[in-house]
Amino acid sequence: MVPKEVEGLLVASGKSVATEPPGLIRGMSRCMTLGEAAGVAASLGAKTGVSAHRVPIREIQAQLVSQGAYLGEPDRLLELGV
């Protein structure tokens, strides 16, 4: 979602996101999920005065979970520290 050469931009389209491990991530539900994550990153960045791409991923994940987003089973979330 964070372009390598462009500062201050998040791209929340399933067609333009790279995953690790590599995989296909297309479809409307994925785009909605990415849009929610981008919005959370932008909101947290605005609140803390940093660029959205510099917001720690764990803070984004914790906020998404608090909003009801599914990021995995509870044991996985514990492993991630979310």
Side-chain angles (χ1 to χ4, degrees), residues 4-15:
K4 293 180 181 181
E5 309 271 334
V6 181
E7 184 76 22
L9 176 68
L10 296 177
V11 181
S13 166
K15 294 181 179 183

Side-chain angles (χ1 to χ4, degrees), residues 1-79:
M1 290 176 49
V2 180
K4 293 180 181 181
E5 309 271 334
V6 181
E7 184 76 22
L9 176 68
L10 296 177
V11 181
S13 166
K15 294 181 179 183
S16 59
V17 174
T19 62
E20 188 59 42
L24 183 62
I25 182 168
R26 292 176 62 179
M28 188 184 315
S29 62
R30 298 291 184 245
C31 290
M32 291 187 313
T33 302
L34 291 168
E36 182 179 11
V40 165
S43 173
L44 292 174
K47 288 178 184 175
T48 59
V50 300
S51 294
H53 74 279
R54 298 202 187 281
V55 176
I57 188 70
R58 297 297 182 250
E59 289 182 27
I60 297 168
Q61 291 170 326
Q63 181 63 36
L64 287 167
V65 168
S66 76
Q67 292 177 189
Y70 176 78
L71 299 183
E73 297 296 321
D75 56 331
R76 177 176 182 268
L77 297 177
L78 284 175
E79 288 177 12

